[in-house]
Amino acid sequence: MSVLAVDNVKFKYPLRDKFAVDGVSFQIEKGSYTAIVGLNGSGKSTLARLICGLDLPQSGSVTIEKDLKIGMVFQSPKNQIVSSIVIRDTAFGPQNLGIKKGEIELRTIECLNLVDMLYKAKSSTAALSLGQTQKIALSGILAISPEILVLDEAISMLDPESRHDILMFLRYWHKCGNTIIHITHDIECVEEADNVIGMESGKVFFYGTKNAFFSDEQNVMRIKGESIPCVDKALLRTKVEAGKAEVSLSARNLNFRYNNFSEKNQIRDLNFDLYKGSLTALTGPSGAGKSTILELLCGLLECGENQIKAISRPVLAQQNASAALFEPFAADDVAFGPRNKGVCGAPLKELVKKSMDCAALPFEEFAERNTFALSGGEQRRLSIAGILALDSDIVLFDEPTAALDSYSRNQILKMMRSLADEGKTVLFSTHKREEAEFADREIVIDNGMIVSDSCVASVITVKNDLKEFSQHSAAGILKGLRNANSSVSGEAKEKPSVIEKLPAFLRVLLFLALFTVSLVVRPLSLCAILFVVSAVYCVLCGFKLKNLLRSCLKILPFLLFFTVLQLIFHPALQNEIHFTTWKYLTITPSKIFFCLASILRTYASLACICGFFVSTPEYDLIDGLKILLKPLSLIKIPVRYFILIIEIVFRFIPLLIDEALCIIKTQIIRGGLGDVKGKMKKIKSLVPLVVPLIIQTIKRSESLADAITMRYFK
């Protein structure tokens, strides 16, 4: 029996010449497992959005059986997380469906258990690895008990272990009689399906059974592409042991730990060399420390003295490609880095052309294309071209083939091989076994340590002309943003403070009382008493007194400015002493007391805010507000909308900080920030971040709106 029918559907995005989906028709049977396959840009994801109702077709129709729930797991799992705590995120959908509290708890526990994430139920969603986040995104959709489960490239960025876990679950889910539609370009995922729909340029080129699809070799080649050759790793090892391999980078006793209390996110005593003209794969499970190592090597994170030496500063192509694009046109974006280095004129054009051609984005075709109108695969290749244009001797790539189809992936691998053949040192991280086999060498990382290295020399010979490279001068901005993100996401502390032990609603009530009184109190003596009380409250919340004093000193210049204004405009009392009079400025006892009271009120309010936010993470704030606002819900005031807005705001802030981090990292690598000593230079250096951050904010907000829609919030 058909549960979903797509009839001659057409859809075209604004400002695009071609249809993304062009005359597509098919039917999905109840309890079937269908794989929709195709290369990047073939229209698969657009079709998934049309099936789920996130977009409406311009012609044709999508018909779903009445009262049938459909759930979609996005390609980027971070875009699908609504709440900051794992168990709350999974419970969000059932709450919107109006299910009773007891059943919601049962569903939440069951779904987290299904994806093997029950042990993380009370963890912050911001602190999860990519693989764990993908599992939570799946858990949140399963909790609404969808009759049709749509997966849009939902496992393309996962490590092999996480991929295996989710594929095993999908087999179980299918055997239970549920309908699955899997959008993919991965042959391994196609093999799990019953039926296959092949797409190319928005049209269907195959519609039939899995066996019929695999019986035609051309169908497989359209998706799989050419096989990646394996490389004999003994060749580089032999060259190293014979002393014929030239060291281009040396890492010694490399250690790093993020500024939180987690023991997982750290790098411990790493020792390795990279060799000129070699292609090295960095592998390991999600959260093992691969990205951290790459950021340490290129100076985005701080390491100790003499820990990293190299022939020149390494450059890094980040995994988040869209955050690495700054200019409106493709050629200008590639030229961004060389321009910062002083390259101009004909040499600049030639360098841009060479870099774009090398990244499989032909200059003649893509030079004047709009940067943000490119497909995801094209944006990834453009971001890589921008890094190649820096012409560094050492090039690092963080998951350069993530979410790419086989054809695009092979182009990237060939490009990295050509760089190594030119004599450059290339290091890339990957989850794919065949890509690791393509490299000259594989370094396996787990829990911040090297557990395997296919090329370990018995005698380490370090070149004397290697230079020490430390953290970029502008990288301090990144540390500040990471600390802010840790505070907002409510990461666990080693020991809760006195105030944190109180129930959530009491914490909210105590803060509101102190904060309100600090704003309305007027007598100087009471302001002084309230400031002391607020400072004590702040310390009891776990906010360090020295940090409070530092915050007070930072805003003191602004307070003094407003004090001068108050001395000018605040009226003096009749017959009181005038200490001094100069034009419009008159100083009297009442004015002094008024100004001192204003300063103390401001400091008391600041102490309340600092203490509250350090002791009350988002989930406790939401709990407290729910209890305090419950009387309003009894008289039919829609409190849940207000609560949701607060929850989304707290969820959205870490997302934007993540985007800002990615943008700033690429700016630093491509020389956009330079020397940022001094406040004015820091402000000026952040101007180029505005447009990319606005674009990413819009994209994130749209994705979050889609995530809420797919959880049946009305």
Side-chain angles (χ1 to χ4, degrees):
M1 183 179 70
S2 174
V3 293
L4 185 149
V6 177
D7 184 20
N8 196 30
V9 165
K10 290 188 177 183
F11 180 86
K12 182 170 66 174
Y13 289 103
L15 304 178
R16 300 284 180 91
D17 297 329
K18 296 181 180 180
F19 281 97
V21 175
D22 191 1
V24 171
S25 299
F26 59 86
Q27 292 186 345
I28 300 293
E29 301 298 320
K30 185 177 182 180
S32 63
Y33 191 151
T34 303
I36 301 179
V37 300
L39 301 180
N40 293 129
S42 62
K44 307 186 303 297
S45 294
T46 303
L47 181 58
R49 293 179 60 82
L50 292 168
I51 289 172
C52 295
L54 295 175
D55 288 321
L56 298 176
Q58 274 123 19
S59 64
S61 63
V62 177
T63 307
I64 301 177
E65 185 181 311
K66 189 178 180 181
D67 297 328
L68 182 145
K69 290 196 294 295
I70 185 167
M72 179 178 174
V73 183
F74 301 161
Q75 179 177 345
S76 177
K78 288 185 177 181
N79 291 340
Q80 193 152 0
I81 305 301
V82 176
S83 300
S84 63
I85 298 298
V86 168
I87 195 167
R88 292 171 181 269
D89 190 80
T90 301
F92 181 73
Q95 288 170 349
N96 296 331
L97 295 173
I99 298 171
K100 293 181 180 179
K101 186 176 180 180
E103 186 178 345
I104 290 175
E105 292 177 356
L106 289 174
R107 277 199 192 189
T108 302
I109 292 171
E110 181 183 8
C111 293
L112 287 174
N113 192 46
L114 283 172
V115 297
D116 193 28
M117 288 294 290
L118 187 58
Y119 73 103
K120 286 284 186 178
K122 295 184 179 180
S123 299
S124 167
T125 52
L128 300 177
S129 70
L130 187 62
Q132 291 169 334
T133 306
Q134 188 69 79
K135 290 180 179 181
I136 296 304
L138 176 58
S139 173
I141 293 299
L142 294 178
I144 65 174
S145 295
E147 284 81 8
I148 299 178
L149 177 63
V150 180
L151 305 163
D152 184 15
E153 301 283 7
I155 64 173
S156 59
M157 296 186 180
L158 302 185
D159 59 74
E161 184 178 351
S162 297
R163 283 169 58 88
H164 177 265
D165 290 345
I166 289 183
L167 287 175
M168 287 290 289
F169 166 76
L170 293 177
R171 290 173 197 164
Y172 160 78
W173 186 254
H174 181 221
K175 287 180 180 178
C176 292
N178 295 294
T179 305
I180 298 175
I181 301 175
H182 198 158
I183 313 295
T184 184
H185 49 63
D186 194 325
I187 291 296
E188 181 185 3
C189 296
V190 178
E191 291 172 345
E192 300 288 329
D194 301 323
N195 307 304
V196 179
I197 298 171
M199 292 192 66
E200 191 172 71
S201 300
K203 297 179 180 291
V204 173
F205 73 82
F206 179 87
Y207 177 26
T209 65
K210 174 182 67 176
N211 293 335
F213 178 84
F214 282 109
S215 65
D216 189 337
E217 186 63 26
Q218 286 189 343
N219 290 333
V220 179
M221 289 302 296
R222 285 169 105 159
I223 306 302
K224 189 176 181 180
E226 300 176 1
S227 298
I228 304 173
C230 294
V231 174
D232 184 3
K233 292 178 173 50
L235 295 177
L236 178 61
R237 186 167 60 248
T238 301
K239 190 176 180 181
V240 169
E241 290 175 349
K244 297 180 179 180
E246 183 179 344
V247 176
S248 57
L249 182 146
S250 175
R252 291 290 174 269
N253 302 316
L254 196 59
N255 288 274
F256 181 80
R257 182 178 179 183
Y258 288 105
N259 189 27
N260 56 34
F261 299 106
S262 172
E263 291 294 332
K264 283 189 65 178
N265 299 323
Q266 57 180 327
I267 302 301
R268 290 179 280 182
D269 297 322
L270 293 191
N271 292 277
F272 62 90
D273 291 331
L274 297 180
Y275 303 96
K276 186 177 180 181
S278 65
L279 179 62
T280 303
L282 190 64
T283 64
S286 295
K290 301 187 296 297
S291 296
T292 302
I293 292 171
L294 294 176
E295 291 188 11
L296 280 166
L297 295 181
C298 71
L300 294 178
L301 296 173
E302 187 177 4
C303 62
E305 294 183 4
N306 298 314
Q307 289 191 336
I308 299 173
K309 293 184 177 181
I311 54 176
S312 64
R313 169 85 71 181
V315 295
L316 170 65
Q318 293 186 87
Q319 184 176 342
N320 188 347
S322 59
L325 306 176
F326 307 112
E327 301 292 344
F329 297 102
D332 290 334
D333 196 88
V334 178
F336 180 86
R339 278 201 187 105
N340 291 326
K341 296 173 66 175
V343 183
C344 59
L348 176 62
K349 183 177 180 180
E350 183 61 30
L351 183 58
V352 170
K353 183 179 185 303
K354 178 184 176 183
S355 301
M356 292 184 69
D357 291 343
C358 185
L361 280 178
F363 179 83
E364 301 300 330
E365 180 182 351
F366 287 91
E368 297 183 5
R369 292 275 294 275
N370 187 294
T371 301
F372 302 104
L374 299 176
S375 69
E378 290 167 346
Q379 286 188 346
R380 182 172 293 278
R381 294 199 294 274
L382 181 64
S383 67
I384 289 174
I387 294 299
L388 297 181
L390 297 172
D391 197 25
S392 175
D393 297 314
I394 306 171
V395 190
L396 316 175
F397 297 91
D398 191 3
E399 297 282 354
T401 65
L404 293 181
D405 57 51
S406 298
Y407 176 75
S408 300
R409 180 189 64 178
N410 289 349
Q411 286 182 311
I412 297 297
L413 291 173
K414 289 177 182 177
M415 177 269 296
M416 292 193 295
R417 173 58 67 188
S418 68
L419 290 175
D421 291 342
E422 291 174 10
K424 296 184 182 297
T425 303
V426 182
L427 173 67
F428 70 101
S429 62
T430 181
H431 287 309
K432 296 180 175 65
R433 173 50 32 201
E434 61 271 26
E435 293 180 10
E437 294 296 335
F438 177 76
D440 301 315
R441 173 189 183 189
E442 180 183 3
I443 300 175
V444 183
I445 303 293
D446 194 5
N447 197 24
M449 297 184 293
I450 295 177
V451 296
S452 173
D453 187 347
S454 63
C455 182
V456 180
S458 55
V459 179
I460 302 290
T461 304
V462 181
K463 287 180 61 178
N464 294 326
D465 58 346
L466 292 181
K467 302 175 184 177
E468 181 186 352
F469 286 97
S470 56
Q471 186 184 32
H472 274 281
S473 60
I477 301 172
L478 299 174
K479 186 175 181 180
L481 282 173
R482 279 192 298 269
N483 291 340
N485 209 8
S486 297
S487 300
V488 173
S489 60
E491 293 182 5
K493 299 178 183 178
E494 286 181 327
K495 187 178 180 180
S497 65
V498 174
I499 299 295
E500 284 177 286
K501 295 177 181 179
L502 295 175
F505 79 95
L506 282 181
R507 272 180 274 167
V508 175
L509 200 59
L510 179 60
F511 164 72
L512 290 175
L514 277 174
F515 185 71
T516 303
V517 173
S518 69
L519 292 177
V520 301
V521 72
R522 285 294 178 267
L524 179 60
S525 58
L526 290 179
C527 289
I529 293 171
L530 190 62
F531 171 67
V532 174
V533 171
S534 299
V536 172
Y537 162 79
C538 187
V539 173
L540 291 176
C541 285
F543 197 84
K544 293 181 179 179
L545 185 59
K546 65 177 182 180
N547 291 338
L548 177 60
L549 294 174
R550 190 181 295 120
S551 300
C552 290
L553 288 174
K554 283 183 178 180
I555 67 169
L556 184 59
F558 299 98
L559 293 180
L560 293 177
F561 171 75
F562 286 109
T563 297
V564 173
L565 294 179
Q566 288 172 334
L567 290 173
I568 294 173
F569 295 107
H570 188 71
L573 298 178
Q574 290 184 354
N575 302 321
E576 69 172 332
I577 300 172
H578 285 216
F579 293 124
T580 184
T581 300
W582 182 72
K583 292 185 178 181
Y584 301 105
L585 180 63
T586 302
I587 300 178
T588 67
S590 65
K591 286 190 174 187
I592 293 174
F593 291 152
F594 178 81
C595 292
L596 288 175
S598 297
I599 292 173
L600 289 172
R601 280 200 303 272
T602 303
Y603 281 154
S605 302
L606 177 65
C608 289
I609 293 171
C610 291
F612 179 71
F613 281 102
V614 81
S615 65
T616 309
E618 174 262 341
Y619 50 88
D620 280 345
L621 174 61
I622 297 299
D623 282 347
L625 288 175
K626 282 180 179 178
I627 295 173
L628 293 175
L629 298 176
K630 191 172 183 179
L632 296 179
S633 63
L634 296 176
I635 57 176
K636 306 301 181 183
I637 295 178
V639 173
R640 64 192 297 263
Y641 295 105
F642 174 69
I643 297 295
L644 178 65
I645 290 171
I646 294 177
E647 197 162 7
I648 289 174
V649 167
F650 273 89
R651 170 62 189 154
F652 205 64
I653 291 173
L655 292 178
L656 292 184
I657 293 176
D658 277 342
E659 290 295 342
L661 281 168
C662 292
I663 294 169
I664 293 173
K665 286 174 186 177
T666 306
Q667 283 269 0
I668 292 172
I669 293 166
R670 295 171 69 178
L673 293 177
D675 186 4
V676 291
K677 293 180 179 178
K679 289 187 177 180
M680 291 305 298
K681 285 188 176 181
K682 285 183 179 180
I683 294 172
K684 186 178 179 181
S685 68
L686 295 176
V687 172
L689 312 181
V690 175
V691 173
L693 189 56
I694 290 174
I695 293 172
Q696 292 304 315
T697 300
I698 294 171
K699 288 182 178 179
R700 288 286 195 179
S701 60
E702 290 174 346
S703 298
L704 202 54
D706 290 340
I708 293 170
T709 301
M710 293 313 301
R711 306 284 194 94
Y712 287 84
F713 180 83
K714 296 179 181 179

